[in-house]
């Protein structure tokens, strides 16, 4: 197969949803279609159960699972599909944001009863920022939920997505009879409690006026479907693939993941319209996937579960060219060449060493501490990939050494955990104290636990009253100097040495912005 064919064969995407909407279930059904797994239940949920929010042993267990499910690849209808797993728990939202930098499209799962939830909103916002094409799957149609049109309105108003329904439900809950596939003009019939397997009962109905519809779904449901489809055709535009690929419109499918119903319709459409590997932006230039020289970036780092080995797995997204085993590549940040003897690919639950990988593929690299998130690997060109920022954290604590004999271990452990992206660390200018900033409270426990277990270091926390951390920039040197002198007390550096303003309250931030108009305050590290 030629390079171009390999490239066009790949579909790399992530599933985003609020916890419990059905992401794990849907992932599993997709893998079943691809023959990547044989039995249901093979994909372990990587979500942290609600009752276990403060149980870090549970987090450790989940961490083990999530290495295995970080990437799940399978073949379907001649395409190689890479699903990138995204943690559902909100305290790990930043992990999910970063994973979304490595996808080319996304599937958004929404629970028909709950509609658009907060976590979905946050994740879709990130996808929109990057113009990632999205397909929406409205799940749990076997349960009573919101009216289809109301849901579409909600998706449009809350997520700001323009929608095009491509399948339409016939009833819901007890009365759910199936979906009409508007894309293929087929009626797909739902038989509750039948296992559905990979085979759905499909009737081709090109014309909804056909009396066969009554025979199958009954007079009332047939009339309702006709009315609703008429309305859809009046209100919503037909699917324009171009608009979808530009991230301007999102096709919507209805179904029930647990019953493996409506999933195939979506998957078939997905393989037809979802983009193959897209270009990636770097500070220097745009990298096109079909360039012959290899480039890629690290979007996720996973510490080894075995405390005796400090090895980590760095996940590399290939952006252009062919990645080859045992070949020297430039680690741009460290300006040194490295090669990899055991790059790992993931095929559902199987891991294997790969000799070659193509754009869109994800390769796991064993790393002894060389990488941090956002790092670029190339055949020689000095490129810096964009769009992998750190976000302003929301919770802060001072972190102190609790064992004077282990200060080196603590420093090393903290540094490595920050490189992995577990949290962010800022060192205050006035007293050199370290402040940890996280998205959720869970990370503080994770850090303490992992420092002890992996580095033999102990830390203690002290509360610090902070509202936000903002990265600061200023073109005018004199104005920057004045700002730095006046606000010295509130300044810190992040681990890359960038200047950060630690605002005690929304008011302090507002005052700083008003008093120093030449200074720009940024809420992500990339500006
Ligand atoms: P998540 O990864 O998005 O967090 O969701 P997950 O797939 O774990 O699904 C959350 C719950 O919703 C699970 O039930 C799952 O069985 C159920 N579910 C998923 N799809 C459907 C569907 O189409 N219809 C219905 N009725 N339920 C669905 P649970 O009781 O929380 O867990 P479990 O004990 O079944 O694993």
């Amino acid at each position: 197969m030629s390079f171009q064919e390999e490239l066009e064969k790949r579909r790399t995407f992530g599933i985003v949803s609020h916890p419990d909407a059905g992401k794990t279930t849907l992932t599993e059904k997709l893998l079943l279609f691809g023959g990547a797994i044989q039995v249901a239940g093979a994909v372990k949920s990587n979500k942290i159960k609600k009752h276990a929010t403060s149980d870090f042993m549970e987090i450790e267990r989940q961490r083990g699972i999530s290495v295995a499910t970080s990437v799940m690849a399978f073949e379907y209808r001649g395409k190689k599909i890479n699903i990138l797993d995204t943690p559902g728990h909100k305290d790990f939202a930043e992990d999910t944001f970063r994973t979304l930098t490595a996808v080319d499209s996304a599937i958004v799962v929404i629970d028909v009863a709950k509609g658009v939830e907060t976590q979905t909103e946050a994740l879709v916002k990130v996808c929109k920022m990057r113009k990632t094409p999205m397909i929406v799957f409205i799940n749990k149609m076997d349960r009573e939920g919101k009216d289809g049109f109301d849901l579409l309105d909600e998706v449009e108003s809350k997520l700001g997505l323009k929608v095009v329904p491509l399948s339409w439900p016939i009833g819901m809950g007890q009365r759910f009879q199936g979906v009409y596939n508007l894309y293929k003009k087929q009626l797909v019939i739902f038989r509750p409690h039948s296992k559905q397997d990979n085979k759905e009962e499909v009737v081709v109905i090109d014309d909804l006026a056909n009396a066969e519809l009554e025979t199958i779904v009954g007079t009332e449901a047939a009339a309702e479907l006709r009315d609703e489809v008429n309305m859809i055709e009046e209100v919503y535009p037909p699917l324009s693939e171009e608009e979808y690929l530009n991230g301007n419109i999102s096709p919507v499918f209805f179904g029930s993941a647990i019953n493996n119903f409506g999933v195939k319709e979506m998957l078939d459409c997905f393989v037809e319209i979802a983009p193959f590997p897209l270009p990636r932006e770097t500070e220097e230039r745009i990298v096109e996937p079909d360039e012959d020289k290899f480039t890629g970036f690290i979007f996720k780092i996973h510490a080894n579960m075995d405390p005796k080995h400090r090895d980590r797995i760095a996940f590399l997204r290939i952006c252009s060219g062919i990645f080859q085993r045992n070949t020297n590549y430039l680690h741009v940040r460290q300006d040194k060449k490295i090669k990899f003897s055991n790059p790992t690919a993931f095929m559902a639950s199987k891991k294997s060493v790969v000799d070659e990988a193509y754009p869109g593929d994800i390769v796991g690299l064993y790393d002894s501490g060389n990488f941090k998130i956002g790092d670029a690997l190339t055949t020689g060109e000095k490129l810096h990939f964009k769009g992998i920022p750190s976000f302003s954290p929301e919770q802060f604590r001072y972190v102190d050494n609790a064992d004077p004999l282990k200060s080196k271990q603590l420093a090393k452990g903290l540094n490595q955990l920050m490189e992995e992206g577990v949290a962010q660390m800022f060192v205050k200018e006035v007293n050199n104290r370290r402040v940890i900033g996280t998205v959720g409270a869970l990370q503080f426990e994770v850090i303490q636990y992992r420092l002890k277990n992996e580095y033999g270091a102990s830390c203690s926390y002290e509360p610090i009253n902070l509202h936000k951390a903002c990265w600061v920039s200023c073109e005018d040197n004199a104005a920057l100097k004045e700002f730095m002198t006046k606000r010295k007390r509130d300044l810190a550096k992040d681990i890359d040495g960038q200047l950060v303003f630690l605002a005690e309250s929304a008011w302090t931030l507002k005052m700083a912005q008003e008093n120093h108009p030449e200074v720009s305050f940024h809420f992500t590290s990339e500006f």
Side-chain angles (χ1 to χ4, degrees), residues 17 19-25 47 139-140 142-143 256-258:
S17 71
D20 274 343
K23 181 171 72 74
T24 313
T25 314
K47 64 183 170 178
N139 190 28
K140 308 197 185 181
D142 57 316
R143 288 201 184 153
S256 165
I258 196 113

